[in-house]
Each structure stands twice: as structure tokens, then as C-alpha cells.
Amino acid sequence: LGSVLGAFIYTRWVSPAIRPKLPGLLSLAAAVPLLLCYLQPGFVTSLILFVVSGGLGTVALMQATASLTLAVPDSSRAQVMGLSNTGLTTVVGLSPLIGGLTTDSIGAQATVAAFGTAGLLLAVPLAISWHRNIARSPERWIPGDTTPSNRT
């Protein structure tokens, strides 16, 4: 649900001109709701937190992938995207295993919060790097034509 809502809102209401600047911030923001699981929220609150985190994470991944696709030279784009998707698929496949083992030790809510902490710690240097790269060579990451497509 969060992925669908996040993608819809992002593609409809976020200007294409600023989208390439957002993956770092969105990645940071996606981890923050998971940190609230340290407070042991109830079922409904947890669902809301997961929807928000999922929506932010989805749009961060969507935009990072789109920006990477535009920034990579045509001659190596297929290889880069293949490696990127392989890495993503591997991480997505290992996460439930690691999450399950961790949950057996510390419980579900603490595991989700720990994943949020890990996500935040990993996202900070990546967000800084993303910001620096955008500032250093915006023409590489931000497409020249940012006119929204005609929607019917």
C-alpha cells in the first residue's frame, strides 16, 4: 500500500526538476518511521509507520534507479543496471533471513527498529555522497527536459 501511494504521490506532485535531488533525503526519511518501533507501537500505528516507510523507500529506489539510468553512458548502461538489480535482488532476498534470525533473538518490534537504525546509518553517507555528486555535476544527474509529460 505504501509503495503504491508513494509512487502515485511522487510522480503526480513532485516536480521532475527536483526529483533527482531527493533520493538521499528520501532514503533517510524512509528509515525514520522504523525507528519508532523502539517505542513498541500498537498494530494500527505500526501499519501506518510501515506504509509511510514503504512509500518513501519506494520513491527513493525509483528515483535512484532512474537517475542512475540517465547518468550511465549508453555503452555500459545494460551492465550497470544488471549489476544494480542483482545487488538489489540479493539484498531483498537476504533481508527476511537476517530479519527472521534477529527476530528470534530480540523480538519483532526491536528487529524492525534495528533495521531502521541500520538503514539510517547506511543512508547517511550515501545521502551525503548523492548530494555532493548532484552539486558537482548536475547536468549528469538532472535531465535537461523536465517538462511533465501530458497526462490525460
Side-chain angles (χ1 to χ4, degrees):
L1 180 63
S3 296
V4 172
L5 290 173
F8 178 78
I9 291 167
Y10 189 73
T11 57
R12 292 289 179 179
W13 290 305
V14 176
S15 167
I18 66 166
R19 289 180 194 167
K21 299 175 184 177
L22 298 178
L25 294 174
L26 291 168
S27 297
L28 293 168
V32 171
L34 301 180
L35 298 176
L36 296 176
C37 288
Y38 281 124
L39 302 175
Q40 308 259 330
F43 179 72
V44 173
T45 303
S46 294
L47 283 177
I48 293 168
L49 293 173
F50 299 157
V51 166
V52 170
S53 178
L56 292 167
T58 294
V59 296
L61 180 60
M62 277 178 21
Q63 186 58 56
T65 302
S67 294
L68 179 63
T69 301
L70 292 172
V72 174
D74 292 344
S75 61
S76 58
R77 185 171 294 134
Q79 181 180 13
V80 169
M81 297 314 295
L83 290 170
S84 173
N85 287 332
T86 299
L88 179 62
T89 302
T90 301
V91 170
V92 168
L94 289 175
S95 293
L97 172 65
I98 296 167
L101 294 172
T102 307
T103 298
D104 286 345
S105 299
I106 64 173
Q109 291 171 320
T111 297
V112 172
F115 269 60
T117 301
L120 192 61
L121 292 174
L122 290 169
V124 167
L126 294 172
I128 292 168
S129 177
W130 188 273
H131 177 74
R132 286 181 181 159
N133 280 305
I134 290 280
R136 189 177 310 129
S137 57
E139 69 285 346
R140 180 176 183 193
W141 300 98
I142 302 172
D145 180 15
T146 57
T147 306
S149 61
N150 292 329
R151 295 185 181 110
T152 55

